[in-house]
Amino acid sequence: MFNHMFRTIFWVWMAALAALTLYLLDAWADAARDAPTLRTEAADIIAAGRGPGALGPGQLDLLLLVEDPAFYDHNGLDLTTPGAGMTSIPQSLAKRLAFDKFRPGISKLRQTAYAISLTRRLTREDILALALDKAEMGPGPGGWVTGFFQASEAFYGRSPAELKDREFMALVAALIAPANLSPINPNPALEARIDRIARLAEGQCAPRNHSDVWLEGCA
């Protein structure tokens, strides 16, 4: 009886492992299939002046410091860098590309597999251009705004490179919770996050640990 039970558990576990492996391989293959089209899309974004190279001096460094401090060093996943959190820029991009509707849980594994596969196939500039263009930025004057450069124009009527430091920090601050931290509706929570980002940028503080995406270490 016990042998039969153990055999059943073993084969159920093996079936689950096989299903999970296929699930991850499917995500990996999807990224490989999507990469050529995404590479062309990134080139168009960059040519239109909405890529990372169109940001002002120091702005990309600040954006990465907050959103993905080890962006140029990891393979799409970062489990150690203070402040990095559980979602790198490639993972954030994967969430927008690989799902009709993302649900926490096992979808995180698919998101990660897609992100790692995509990171192997696109340049970092391509990934940044796509991430900037697909970033959710919150409600604007004409409705919900998608795209970092689009948000700069919607909220301030100027490109990011033309913004004052605090205006740019407001855009960066909004990325973590665009529905609540939209620069079109300044509030104490937005101002507090901008203050934390400013202190981080000045080297006056540091995230407490890997999961400190809200910069409690800079409060």
Side-chain angles (χ1 to χ4, degrees):
M1 176 179 177
F2 285 107
N3 286 340
H4 176 71
M5 182 180 67
F6 288 140
R7 282 197 300 269
T8 300
I9 292 173
F10 172 78
W11 285 114
V12 168
W13 184 85
M14 289 297 292
L17 181 61
L20 178 60
T21 300
L22 289 174
Y23 181 66
L24 297 179
L25 287 175
D26 182 63
W28 187 278
D30 280 350
R33 180 201 64 211
D34 295 345
T37 299
L38 292 171
R39 194 176 297 116
T40 299
E41 183 179 348
D44 291 342
I45 292 168
I46 293 167
R50 301 196 308 272
L55 294 173
Q59 288 183 339
L60 178 58
D61 291 340
L62 175 63
L63 175 67
L64 294 180
L65 181 66
V66 175
E67 289 295 305
D68 195 341
F71 174 74
Y72 288 107
D73 300 318
H74 62 63
N75 66 350
L77 174 67
D78 184 354
L79 298 176
T80 60
T81 305
M86 294 304 296
T87 305
S88 65
I89 286 176
Q91 286 174 296
S92 179
L93 179 60
K95 183 176 179 179
R96 290 165 174 78
L97 295 174
F99 299 90
D100 292 328
K101 185 175 182 180
F102 181 85
R103 295 179 178 84
I106 195 170
S107 293
K108 189 68 178 182
L109 297 177
R110 174 176 174 79
Q111 177 194 31
T112 301
Y114 189 100
I116 294 174
S117 180
L118 200 64
T119 300
R120 291 170 62 92
R121 291 169 170 82
L122 299 183
T123 67
R124 301 292 165 146
E125 183 181 26
D126 288 342
I127 290 172
L128 284 171
L130 291 163
L132 287 168
D133 205 56
K134 298 179 185 302
E136 300 294 338
M137 300 301 300
W144 190 267
V145 181
T146 300
F148 197 86
F149 282 78
Q150 294 88 331
S152 183
E153 291 290 346
F155 298 142
Y156 300 113
R158 306 189 304 281
S159 69
E162 298 173 298
L163 298 181
K164 299 175 181 178
D165 288 348
R166 198 165 178 88
E167 291 172 334
F168 183 80
M169 289 179 190
L171 293 182
V172 175
L175 289 168
I176 196 170
N180 299 320
L181 300 179
S182 172
I184 199 171
N185 181 31
N187 58 70
L190 174 62
E191 296 302 321
R193 182 156 178 81
I194 294 172
D195 288 341
R196 293 181 184 190
I197 291 172
R199 286 192 285 271
L200 180 68
E202 291 295 326
Q204 298 174 1
C205 61
R208 291 177 177 175
N209 49 44
H210 172 260
S211 63
D212 187 14
V213 294
W214 284 95
L215 302 178
E216 295 295 337
C218 293

